[in-house]
PDB file of all heavy atoms in Angstrom:
ATOM      1  N   PRO A  90     162.812 106.269 124.899  1.00  0.00           N
ATOM      2  CA  PRO A  90     163.940 105.963 124.020  1.00  0.00           C
ATOM      3  C   PRO A  90     164.262 104.487 123.927  1.00  0.00           C
ATOM      4  O   PRO A  90     164.847 104.057 122.941  1.00  0.00           O
ATOM      5  CB  PRO A  90     165.098 106.735 124.665  1.00  0.00           C
ATOM      6  CG  PRO A  90     164.693 106.928 126.081  1.00  0.00           C
ATOM      7  CD  PRO A  90     163.200 107.085 126.053  1.00  0.00           C
ATOM      8  N   HIS A  91     163.879 103.694 124.920  1.00  0.00           N
ATOM      9  CA  HIS A  91     164.273 102.293 124.900  1.00  0.00           C
ATOM     10  C   HIS A  91     163.148 101.350 124.500  1.00  0.00           C
ATOM     11  O   HIS A  91     163.338 100.156 124.447  1.00  0.00           O
ATOM     12  CB  HIS A  91     164.821 101.883 126.266  1.00  0.00           C
ATOM     13  CG  HIS A  91     166.146 102.504 126.561  1.00  0.00           C
ATOM     14  ND1 HIS A  91     167.313 102.078 125.972  1.00  0.00           N
ATOM     15  CD2 HIS A  91     166.481 103.543 127.356  1.00  0.00           C
ATOM     16  CE1 HIS A  91     168.321 102.820 126.401  1.00  0.00           C
ATOM     17  NE2 HIS A  91     167.842 103.713 127.242  1.00  0.00           N
ATOM     18  N   ASP A  94     160.420 104.251 120.838  1.00  0.00           N
ATOM     19  CA  ASP A  94     161.141 104.903 119.752  1.00  0.00           C
ATOM     20  C   ASP A  94     162.392 104.145 119.322  1.00  0.00           C
ATOM     21  O   ASP A  94     163.241 104.694 118.631  1.00  0.00           O
ATOM     22  CB  ASP A  94     161.541 106.325 120.174  1.00  0.00           C
ATOM     23  CG  ASP A  94     160.342 107.119 120.669  1.00  0.00           C
ATOM     24  OD1 ASP A  94     159.245 106.914 120.119  1.00  0.00           O
ATOM     25  OD2 ASP A  94     160.505 107.915 121.597  1.00  0.00           O
ATOM     26  N   LEU A  95     162.522 102.894 119.730  1.00  0.00           N
ATOM     27  CA  LEU A  95     163.740 102.139 119.451  1.00  0.00           C
ATOM     28  C   LEU A  95     163.709 101.588 118.031  1.00  0.00           C
ATOM     29  O   LEU A  95     162.920 100.706 117.718  1.00  0.00           O
ATOM     30  CB  LEU A  95     163.864 100.992 120.465  1.00  0.00           C
ATOM     31  CG  LEU A  95     165.248 100.383 120.640  1.00  0.00           C
ATOM     32  CD1 LEU A  95     166.217 101.434 121.187  1.00  0.00           C
ATOM     33  CD2 LEU A  95     165.181  99.211 121.601  1.00  0.00           C
ATOM     34  N   ASP A  96     164.571 102.104 117.166  1.00  0.00           N
ATOM     35  CA  ASP A  96     164.623 101.583 115.803  1.00  0.00           C
ATOM     36  C   ASP A  96     165.518 100.345 115.765  1.00  0.00           C
ATOM     37  O   ASP A  96     166.157  99.984 116.765  1.00  0.00           O
ATOM     38  CB  ASP A  96     165.091 102.645 114.809  1.00  0.00           C
ATOM     39  CG  ASP A  96     166.479 103.178 115.129  1.00  0.00           C
ATOM     40  OD1 ASP A  96     167.291 102.436 115.709  1.00  0.00           O
ATOM     41  OD2 ASP A  96     166.753 104.344 114.791  1.00  0.00           O
ATOM     42  N   VAL A  97     165.561  99.686 114.620  1.00  0.00           N
ATOM     43  CA  VAL A  97     166.288  98.424 114.512  1.00  0.00           C
ATOM     44  C   VAL A  97     167.772  98.606 114.813  1.00  0.00           C
ATOM     45  O   VAL A  97     168.379  97.802 115.526  1.00  0.00           O
ATOM     46  CB  VAL A  97     166.084  97.814 113.107  1.00  0.00           C
ATOM     47  CG1 VAL A  97     166.963  96.580 112.936  1.00  0.00           C
ATOM     48  CG2 VAL A  97     164.621  97.452 112.890  1.00  0.00           C
ATOM     49  N   ARG A  98     168.367  99.660 114.284  1.00  0.00           N
ATOM     50  CA  ARG A  98     169.803  99.870 114.483  1.00  0.00           C
ATOM     51  C   ARG A  98     170.136 100.052 115.967  1.00  0.00           C
ATOM     52  O   ARG A  98     171.059  99.432 116.491  1.00  0.00           O
ATOM     53  CB  ARG A  98     170.260 101.094 113.695  1.00  0.00           C
ATOM     54  CG  ARG A  98     171.751 101.418 113.848  1.00  0.00           C
ATOM     55  CD  ARG A  98     172.116 102.719 113.175  1.00  0.00           C
ATOM     56  NE  ARG A  98     171.380 103.843 113.732  1.00  0.00           N
ATOM     57  CZ  ARG A  98     171.719 104.463 114.875  1.00  0.00           C
ATOM     58  NH1 ARG A  98     172.770 104.039 115.557  1.00  0.00           N
ATOM     59  NH2 ARG A  98     171.015 105.479 115.324  1.00  0.00           N
ATOM     60  N   ARG A  99     169.335 100.898 116.648  1.00  0.00           N
ATOM     61  CA  ARG A  99     169.590 101.144 118.065  1.00  0.00           C
ATOM     62  C   ARG A  99     169.287  99.910 118.905  1.00  0.00           C
ATOM     63  O   ARG A  99     169.952  99.646 119.912  1.00  0.00           O
ATOM     64  CB  ARG A  99     168.759 102.336 118.545  1.00  0.00           C
ATOM     65  CG  ARG A  99     169.218 103.656 117.935  1.00  0.00           C
ATOM     66  CD  ARG A  99     168.299 104.785 118.328  1.00  0.00           C
ATOM     67  NE  ARG A  99     168.246 104.960 119.765  1.00  0.00           N
ATOM     68  CZ  ARG A  99     167.290 105.633 120.400  1.00  0.00           C
ATOM     69  NH1 ARG A  99     166.297 106.170 119.710  1.00  0.00           N
ATOM     70  NH2 ARG A  99     167.321 105.767 121.709  1.00  0.00           N
ATOM     71  N   PHE A 100     168.271  99.150 118.488  1.00  0.00           N
ATOM     72  CA  PHE A 100     167.948  97.924 119.208  1.00  0.00           C
ATOM     73  C   PHE A 100     169.102  96.925 119.107  1.00  0.00           C
ATOM     74  O   PHE A 100     169.501  96.308 120.106  1.00  0.00           O
ATOM     75  CB  PHE A 100     166.666  97.313 118.643  1.00  0.00           C
ATOM     76  CG  PHE A 100     166.310  95.985 119.254  1.00  0.00           C
ATOM     77  CD1 PHE A 100     165.869  95.900 120.565  1.00  0.00           C
ATOM     78  CD2 PHE A 100     166.426  94.814 118.523  1.00  0.00           C
ATOM     79  CE1 PHE A 100     165.551  94.673 121.138  1.00  0.00           C
ATOM     80  CE2 PHE A 100     166.114  93.588 119.084  1.00  0.00           C
ATOM     81  CZ  PHE A 100     165.670  93.518 120.384  1.00  0.00           C
ATOM     82  N   LYS A 101     169.667  96.761 117.924  1.00  0.00           N
ATOM     83  CA  LYS A 101     170.793  95.845 117.743  1.00  0.00           C
ATOM     84  C   LYS A 101     172.013  96.318 118.531  1.00  0.00           C
ATOM     85  O   LYS A 101     172.734  95.507 119.129  1.00  0.00           O
ATOM     86  CB  LYS A 101     171.140  95.707 116.262  1.00  0.00           C
ATOM     87  CG  LYS A 101     170.099  94.950 115.454  1.00  0.00           C
ATOM     88  CD  LYS A 101     170.629  94.544 114.090  1.00  0.00           C
ATOM     89  CE  LYS A 101     170.981  95.741 113.243  1.00  0.00           C
ATOM     90  NZ  LYS A 101     171.419  95.329 111.881  1.00  0.00           N
ATOM     91  N   ASP A 102     172.227  97.630 118.547  1.00  0.00           N
ATOM     92  CA  ASP A 102     173.365  98.175 119.290  1.00  0.00           C
ATOM     93  C   ASP A 102     173.200  97.943 120.784  1.00  0.00           C
ATOM     94  O   ASP A 102     174.164  97.614 121.486  1.00  0.00           O
ATOM     95  CB  ASP A 102     173.509  99.666 118.996  1.00  0.00           C
ATOM     96  CG  ASP A 102     174.705 100.269 119.714  1.00  0.00           C
ATOM     97  OD1 ASP A 102     175.843  99.951 119.316  1.00  0.00           O
ATOM     98  OD2 ASP A 102     174.508 101.045 120.670  1.00  0.00           O
ATOM     99  N   LEU A 103     171.963  98.093 121.292  1.00  0.00           N
ATOM    100  CA  LEU A 103     171.698  97.866 122.710  1.00  0.00           C
ATOM    101  C   LEU A 103     171.964  96.409 123.082  1.00  0.00           C
ATOM    102  O   LEU A 103     172.611  96.126 124.098  1.00  0.00           O
ATOM    103  CB  LEU A 103     170.255  98.242 123.036  1.00  0.00           C
ATOM    104  CG  LEU A 103     169.812  98.088 124.499  1.00  0.00           C
ATOM    105  CD1 LEU A 103     170.589  99.036 125.394  1.00  0.00           C
ATOM    106  CD2 LEU A 103     168.323  98.343 124.630  1.00  0.00           C
ATOM    107  N   CYS A 104     171.499  95.486 122.253  1.00  0.00           N
ATOM    108  CA  CYS A 104     171.732  94.062 122.508  1.00  0.00           C
ATOM    109  C   CYS A 104     173.221  93.733 122.456  1.00  0.00           C
ATOM    110  O   CYS A 104     173.733  92.969 123.277  1.00  0.00           O
ATOM    111  CB  CYS A 104     170.970  93.208 121.501  1.00  0.00           C
ATOM    112  SG  CYS A 104     169.173  93.265 121.693  1.00  0.00           S
TER     113      CYS A 104
END
Side-chain angles (χ1 to χ4, degrees):
H91 290 285
D94 307 325
L95 199 63
D96 60 29
V97 174
R98 179 186 60 81
R99 292 175 60 198
F100 176 70
K101 290 194 297 184
D102 182 71
L103 181 64
C104 291

